[in-house]
Amino acid sequence: MTTQTQEANTRDHERAWMGEAIRLATDSVANGGGPFGALVAKGDDIIALGNNQVTAALDPTAHAEVTAMRAACKQLDTFSLDGCVLVTSCEPCPMCLSSALWARVDRIVFSADRHDAAVAGFDDRKFYDLFEKQPASMWPVHVEQLDLPHRTAPFDAWLAKSDRVDY
């Protein structure tokens, strides 16, 4: 198979997957959830689906991307989504983007962006701005370090553990 054919196949898959992510988001609204949908694919296969469950689960971290990645990790029996693509109906917020980085997905593909979400009342731009532009002293929540002498004890135990699974 030529590189051009592979790229065309990938684009075709991604278009179909994006259609599914948008359908998941739309169905989520109809079922009382937020307007976000996501899926994780590996190779030609969809591994897991997710939709926004923040209000349904009373869980502020239950964004579509996170629910899809959690389901994919369970399905694949691993914490690493290396070799996977995260396809999401909307640009990931900073939390979801960070989660995808920790999961080590190969790529993220989204359709609507943060500005589209803001029009619908989901203004993540302030969080992007917070991390990109604001010093911690200007954040809406106070963050401080409490320096204790044994603050590194968990890390020391981790480094001493010979059978640890690095991630």
Side-chain angles (χ1 to χ4, degrees):
M1 188 179 297
T2 68
T3 302
Q4 281 184 324
T5 304
Q6 288 174 327
E7 289 174 7
N9 280 346
T10 299
R11 282 193 300 275
D12 289 344
H13 277 83
E14 289 175 353
R15 287 188 203 300
W17 295 338
M18 187 59 72
E20 178 66 5
I22 292 170
R23 184 196 63 76
L24 287 166
T26 305
D27 288 352
S28 181
V29 172
N31 294 317
F36 303 94
L39 62 85
V40 175
K42 187 168 189 172
D44 294 339
D45 301 319
I46 294 175
I47 303 301
L49 307 174
N51 68 293
N52 183 282
Q53 299 175 17
V54 170
T55 57
L58 304 177
D59 179 354
T61 68
H63 290 200
E65 298 90 341
V66 172
T67 61
M69 288 186 288
R70 286 175 181 162
C73 287
K74 286 181 183 176
Q75 178 67 27
L76 296 172
D77 195 29
T78 182
F79 57 84
S80 175
L81 296 177
D82 183 46
C84 294
V85 177
L86 174 63
V87 179
T88 179
S89 63
C90 187
E91 180 179 10
C93 73
M95 177 188 71
C96 293
L97 180 58
S98 296
S99 297
L101 293 172
W102 272 108
R104 293 171 178 81
V105 299
D106 284 4
R107 295 179 57 237
I108 300 169
V109 181
F110 66 91
S111 189
D113 66 18
R114 65 183 84 171
H115 308 291
D116 298 320
V119 170
F122 296 91
D123 196 351
D124 294 343
R125 292 177 298 190
K126 62 184 174 186
F127 298 123
Y128 281 99
D129 290 347
L130 178 72
F131 291 114
E132 293 172 358
K133 300 176 186 173
Q134 297 294 324
S137 63
M138 301 296 291
W139 290 13
V141 61
H142 184 72
V143 179
E144 69 178 90
Q145 180 182 17
L146 178 58
D147 189 9
L148 297 179
H150 60 290
R151 72 185 180 277
T152 63
F155 297 122
D156 297 339
W158 173 257
L159 291 171
K161 184 175 173 56
S162 62
D163 63 342
R164 70 181 181 265
V165 176
D166 290 327
Y167 63 98

